[in-house]
Short mmCIF file of all heavy atoms in Angstrom, two decimals:
data_model
loop_
_atom_site.label_atom_id
_atom_site.label_comp_id
_atom_site.label_asym_id
_atom_site.label_seq_id
_atom_site.Cartn_x
_atom_site.Cartn_y
_atom_site.Cartn_z
N ASN A 1 2.40 -8.84 12.77
CA ASN A 1 1.64 -8.64 11.62
C ASN A 1 2.16 -7.36 10.91
O ASN A 1 2.31 -6.34 11.68
CB ASN A 1 0.14 -8.41 12.02
CG ASN A 1 -0.77 -8.16 10.76
OD1 ASN A 1 -0.52 -7.39 9.88
ND2 ASN A 1 -1.93 -8.88 10.74
N PRO A 2 2.56 -7.39 9.69
CA PRO A 2 3.18 -6.26 8.99
C PRO A 2 2.22 -5.04 9.08
O PRO A 2 2.87 -3.89 8.91
CB PRO A 2 3.41 -6.77 7.68
CG PRO A 2 2.63 -7.93 7.30
CD PRO A 2 2.42 -8.53 8.71
N LEU A 3 0.96 -5.15 9.02
CA LEU A 3 0.16 -4.02 9.18
C LEU A 3 0.35 -3.28 10.63
O LEU A 3 0.37 -2.07 10.64
CB LEU A 3 -1.34 -4.37 9.00
CG LEU A 3 -1.81 -4.84 7.52
CD1 LEU A 3 -3.15 -5.31 7.55
CD2 LEU A 3 -1.50 -3.68 6.55
N THR A 4 0.50 -4.11 11.57
CA THR A 4 0.82 -3.54 12.91
C THR A 4 2.12 -2.83 12.94
O THR A 4 2.31 -1.77 13.48
CB THR A 4 0.83 -4.58 14.02
OG1 THR A 4 -0.48 -5.24 13.94
CG2 THR A 4 1.01 -4.11 15.35
N VAL A 5 3.07 -3.41 12.19
CA VAL A 5 4.53 -2.81 12.20
C VAL A 5 4.31 -1.40 11.53
O VAL A 5 4.84 -0.40 11.90
CB VAL A 5 5.35 -3.71 11.50
CG1 VAL A 5 6.81 -3.05 11.23
CG2 VAL A 5 5.62 -5.04 12.29
N ALA A 6 3.59 -1.42 10.33
CA ALA A 6 3.33 -0.16 9.52
C ALA A 6 2.75 0.83 10.36
O ALA A 6 3.14 2.03 10.33
CB ALA A 6 2.64 -0.54 8.28
N GLU A 7 1.65 0.56 11.18
CA GLU A 7 1.00 1.51 11.97
C GLU A 7 1.98 2.07 12.96
O GLU A 7 1.95 3.35 13.27
CB GLU A 7 -0.15 0.79 12.70
CG GLU A 7 -1.44 0.46 11.78
CD GLU A 7 -2.57 -0.24 12.53
OE1 GLU A 7 -2.11 -1.00 13.42
OE2 GLU A 7 -3.74 0.10 12.17
N SER A 8 2.56 1.19 13.69
CA SER A 8 3.53 1.69 14.73
C SER A 8 4.51 2.64 14.32
O SER A 8 4.75 3.67 14.91
CB SER A 8 4.18 0.52 15.50
OG SER A 8 3.17 -0.26 16.19
N TYR A 9 5.24 2.35 13.17
CA TYR A 9 6.43 3.18 12.71
C TYR A 9 5.81 4.34 11.87
O TYR A 9 6.54 5.37 11.82
CB TYR A 9 7.30 2.24 11.93
CG TYR A 9 8.12 1.41 12.95
CD1 TYR A 9 7.88 0.17 13.02
CD2 TYR A 9 8.99 2.06 13.82
CE1 TYR A 9 8.65 -0.69 14.04
CE2 TYR A 9 9.66 1.31 14.79
CZ TYR A 9 9.50 -0.04 14.77
OH TYR A 9 10.16 -0.75 15.78
N ALA A 10 4.62 4.35 11.41
CA ALA A 10 3.98 5.54 10.75
C ALA A 10 3.84 6.52 11.87
O ALA A 10 4.08 7.76 11.73
CB ALA A 10 2.71 5.13 10.16
N MET A 11 3.38 6.03 13.14
CA MET A 11 3.19 6.98 14.25
C MET A 11 4.63 7.52 14.59
O MET A 11 4.70 8.68 14.89
CB MET A 11 2.59 6.27 15.32
CG MET A 11 1.15 5.89 15.29
SD MET A 11 0.48 5.17 16.78
CE MET A 11 0.58 6.57 17.88
N VAL A 12 5.64 6.74 14.64
CA VAL A 12 6.95 7.23 15.07
C VAL A 12 7.43 8.35 14.01
O VAL A 12 7.85 9.40 14.37
CB VAL A 12 8.06 6.12 15.07
CG1 VAL A 12 9.37 6.60 15.25
CG2 VAL A 12 7.70 5.15 16.25
N ASP A 13 7.19 8.03 12.71
CA ASP A 13 7.58 9.03 11.69
C ASP A 13 6.83 10.28 11.91
O ASP A 13 7.33 11.32 11.86
CB ASP A 13 7.38 8.44 10.36
CG ASP A 13 8.15 9.18 9.28
OD1 ASP A 13 9.37 9.31 9.48
OD2 ASP A 13 7.44 9.74 8.30
N MET A 14 5.42 10.24 12.22
CA MET A 14 4.62 11.36 12.41
C MET A 14 5.17 12.14 13.55
O MET A 14 5.35 13.40 13.58
CB MET A 14 3.22 11.02 12.51
CG MET A 14 2.22 12.17 12.61
SD MET A 14 0.58 11.59 12.86
CE MET A 14 0.20 11.04 11.21
N LEU A 15 5.22 11.51 14.75
CA LEU A 15 5.52 12.16 15.98
C LEU A 15 6.97 12.78 16.09
O LEU A 15 7.21 13.77 16.80
CB LEU A 15 5.43 11.14 17.17
CG LEU A 15 3.89 10.77 17.48
CD1 LEU A 15 3.90 9.63 18.45
CD2 LEU A 15 3.15 11.96 18.08
N SER A 16 7.86 12.27 15.20
CA SER A 16 9.15 12.74 15.06
C SER A 16 9.34 13.80 13.97
O SER A 16 10.46 14.34 13.86
CB SER A 16 10.24 11.56 14.88
OG SER A 16 10.04 11.03 13.55
N GLY A 17 8.31 14.08 13.35
CA GLY A 17 8.47 15.06 12.19
C GLY A 17 9.12 14.50 10.90
O GLY A 17 9.80 15.20 10.23
N GLY A 18 9.05 13.16 10.68
CA GLY A 18 9.58 12.62 9.52
C GLY A 18 11.11 12.24 9.64
O GLY A 18 11.87 12.32 8.81
N ARG A 19 11.43 11.72 10.83
CA ARG A 19 12.83 11.29 11.19
C ARG A 19 13.10 9.87 11.13
O ARG A 19 14.21 9.41 11.61
CB ARG A 19 13.25 12.04 12.49
CG ARG A 19 13.39 13.51 12.47
CD ARG A 19 13.94 14.11 13.74
NE ARG A 19 13.03 14.31 14.72
CZ ARG A 19 13.23 14.17 16.03
NH1 ARG A 19 14.50 13.92 16.48
NH2 ARG A 19 12.34 14.39 16.94
N LEU A 20 12.23 9.00 10.84
CA LEU A 20 12.33 7.60 10.91
C LEU A 20 13.26 6.98 9.96
O LEU A 20 13.21 7.38 8.68
CB LEU A 20 11.01 6.86 10.85
CG LEU A 20 10.94 5.23 10.92
CD1 LEU A 20 11.41 4.75 12.20
CD2 LEU A 20 9.73 4.78 10.49
N VAL A 21 14.10 6.05 10.32
CA VAL A 21 14.88 5.17 9.47
C VAL A 21 14.53 3.76 9.90
O VAL A 21 14.80 3.49 10.93
CB VAL A 21 16.46 5.42 9.49
CG1 VAL A 21 17.08 4.48 8.57
CG2 VAL A 21 16.76 6.86 9.10
N LEU A 22 13.94 3.03 8.98
CA LEU A 22 13.40 1.65 9.42
C LEU A 22 14.23 0.46 8.93
O LEU A 22 14.23 0.12 7.63
CB LEU A 22 11.92 1.49 8.86
CG LEU A 22 11.13 0.25 9.27
CD1 LEU A 22 11.01 0.19 10.79
CD2 LEU A 22 9.75 0.40 8.71
N GLY A 23 15.03 -0.02 9.85
CA GLY A 23 15.83 -1.13 9.62
C GLY A 23 15.02 -2.30 9.88
O GLY A 23 14.35 -2.48 10.83
N VAL A 24 15.07 -3.34 8.98
CA VAL A 24 14.13 -4.58 9.05
C VAL A 24 14.98 -5.82 8.79
O VAL A 24 16.05 -5.81 8.11
CB VAL A 24 13.01 -4.67 8.02
CG1 VAL A 24 12.10 -3.34 8.35
CG2 VAL A 24 13.49 -4.49 6.63
N GLY A 25 14.60 -6.92 9.36
CA GLY A 25 15.40 -8.20 9.17
C GLY A 25 14.40 -9.36 9.52
O GLY A 25 13.27 -9.29 9.93
N SER A 26 14.99 -10.55 9.26
CA SER A 26 14.10 -11.72 9.42
C SER A 26 14.27 -12.47 10.79
O SER A 26 13.72 -13.41 11.11
CB SER A 26 14.44 -12.81 8.42
OG SER A 26 15.90 -13.10 8.42
N GLY A 27 15.36 -11.88 11.69
CA GLY A 27 15.66 -12.53 12.95
C GLY A 27 16.52 -13.70 12.89
O GLY A 27 16.66 -14.31 11.83
N TYR A 28 17.18 -13.95 14.04
CA TYR A 28 18.09 -15.14 13.87
C TYR A 28 18.24 -15.92 15.24
O TYR A 28 18.90 -16.96 15.40
CB TYR A 28 19.47 -14.61 13.55
CG TYR A 28 20.16 -13.79 14.46
CD1 TYR A 28 21.16 -14.26 15.34
CD2 TYR A 28 19.89 -12.44 14.56
CE1 TYR A 28 21.68 -13.47 16.26
CE2 TYR A 28 20.52 -11.56 15.54
CZ TYR A 28 21.45 -12.13 16.35
OH TYR A 28 22.04 -11.31 17.29
N LEU A 29 17.56 -15.43 16.40
CA LEU A 29 17.81 -16.04 17.60
C LEU A 29 16.69 -17.11 17.92
O LEU A 29 15.52 -16.82 17.84
CB LEU A 29 17.75 -14.98 18.77
CG LEU A 29 18.87 -13.83 18.81
CD1 LEU A 29 18.46 -12.71 19.63
CD2 LEU A 29 20.14 -14.52 18.97
N ALA A 30 17.13 -18.40 18.12
CA ALA A 30 16.15 -19.46 18.24
C ALA A 30 15.28 -19.28 19.31
O ALA A 30 14.05 -19.65 19.22
CB ALA A 30 17.03 -20.71 18.49
N HIS A 31 15.64 -18.72 20.46
CA HIS A 31 14.66 -18.58 21.57
C HIS A 31 13.51 -17.70 21.34
O HIS A 31 12.45 -17.69 21.76
CB HIS A 31 15.36 -18.22 22.88
CG HIS A 31 15.81 -16.79 22.94
ND1 HIS A 31 17.00 -16.34 22.26
CD2 HIS A 31 15.24 -15.78 23.51
CE1 HIS A 31 17.13 -15.11 22.55
NE2 HIS A 31 16.11 -14.64 23.24
N GLU A 32 13.86 -16.62 20.48
CA GLU A 32 12.68 -15.77 19.99
C GLU A 32 11.78 -16.41 19.10
O GLU A 32 10.51 -16.19 19.31
CB GLU A 32 13.32 -14.49 19.31
CG GLU A 32 14.16 -13.70 20.37
CD GLU A 32 14.80 -12.40 19.78
OE1 GLU A 32 14.70 -12.18 18.49
OE2 GLU A 32 15.30 -11.58 20.57
N PHE A 33 12.28 -17.21 18.17
CA PHE A 33 11.27 -17.90 17.39
C PHE A 33 10.38 -18.88 18.10
O PHE A 33 9.21 -19.06 17.94
CB PHE A 33 12.05 -18.63 16.20
CG PHE A 33 12.44 -17.78 15.13
CD1 PHE A 33 13.75 -17.14 15.14
CD2 PHE A 33 11.75 -17.48 14.08
CE1 PHE A 33 14.15 -16.30 14.25
CE2 PHE A 33 12.04 -16.59 13.05
CZ PHE A 33 13.28 -16.02 13.12
N GLU A 34 11.03 -19.53 19.07
CA GLU A 34 10.26 -20.43 19.99
C GLU A 34 9.26 -19.75 20.79
O GLU A 34 8.17 -20.11 21.00
CB GLU A 34 11.31 -21.17 20.94
CG GLU A 34 12.26 -22.17 20.26
CD GLU A 34 13.35 -22.73 21.02
OE1 GLU A 34 13.32 -22.28 22.26
OE2 GLU A 34 14.13 -23.48 20.68
N GLY A 35 9.66 -18.56 21.32
CA GLY A 35 8.77 -17.79 22.14
C GLY A 35 7.51 -17.35 21.36
O GLY A 35 6.47 -17.33 21.90
N PHE A 36 7.69 -17.00 20.07
CA PHE A 36 6.58 -16.48 19.34
C PHE A 36 5.90 -17.70 18.57
O PHE A 36 4.80 -17.43 18.03
CB PHE A 36 6.97 -15.42 18.28
CG PHE A 36 7.26 -14.08 18.98
CD1 PHE A 36 8.58 -13.54 19.08
CD2 PHE A 36 6.24 -13.30 19.42
CE1 PHE A 36 8.71 -12.32 19.61
CE2 PHE A 36 6.37 -12.12 19.81
CZ PHE A 36 7.64 -11.59 20.06
N GLY A 37 6.44 -18.85 18.70
CA GLY A 37 5.83 -19.90 18.02
C GLY A 37 5.92 -19.87 16.41
O GLY A 37 5.02 -20.34 15.74
N VAL A 38 7.08 -19.29 16.07
CA VAL A 38 7.25 -19.12 14.60
C VAL A 38 8.34 -20.12 14.21
O VAL A 38 9.41 -20.16 14.81
CB VAL A 38 7.64 -17.72 14.17
CG1 VAL A 38 8.02 -17.55 12.76
CG2 VAL A 38 6.55 -16.74 14.48
N LEU A 39 8.18 -20.86 13.20
CA LEU A 39 9.19 -21.74 12.70
C LEU A 39 10.29 -21.11 11.96
O LEU A 39 10.20 -20.30 11.00
CB LEU A 39 8.53 -22.85 11.73
CG LEU A 39 7.44 -23.72 12.30
CD1 LEU A 39 6.88 -24.64 11.12
CD2 LEU A 39 8.07 -24.60 13.40
N PRO A 40 11.61 -21.30 12.46
CA PRO A 40 12.81 -20.66 11.87
C PRO A 40 12.79 -20.95 10.34
O PRO A 40 13.29 -20.00 9.58
CB PRO A 40 13.84 -21.22 12.63
CG PRO A 40 13.39 -21.67 13.92
CD PRO A 40 11.93 -22.24 13.66
N GLN A 41 12.47 -22.08 9.91
CA GLN A 41 12.58 -22.43 8.50
C GLN A 41 11.50 -21.67 7.63
O GLN A 41 11.74 -21.55 6.43
CB GLN A 41 12.40 -23.93 8.19
CG GLN A 41 11.09 -24.50 8.74
CD GLN A 41 11.16 -25.12 10.09
OE1 GLN A 41 12.02 -24.61 10.96
NE2 GLN A 41 10.50 -26.20 10.34
#
């Protein structure tokens, strides 16, 4: 859930004193999509 992602990395930024660089992507490994039950398409 993107709200969960935002919460987690807001905490990282706060605890590090504003040092976060947030790289994001859509994923590409088939077994990870299968594990989370998300359709790759």
Side-chain angles (χ1 to χ4, degrees):
N1 186 308
L3 292 176
T4 301
V5 176
E7 288 178 325
S8 295
Y9 288 108
M11 287 185 67
V12 173
D13 197 54
M14 179 182 291
L15 290 168
S16 67
R19 290 187 277 147
L20 175 67
V21 182
L22 187 53
V24 297
S26 60
Y28 67 100
L29 296 172
H31 74 278
E32 295 185 346
F33 284 89
E34 291 170 3
F36 283 111
V38 175
L39 296 175
Q41 57 266 36

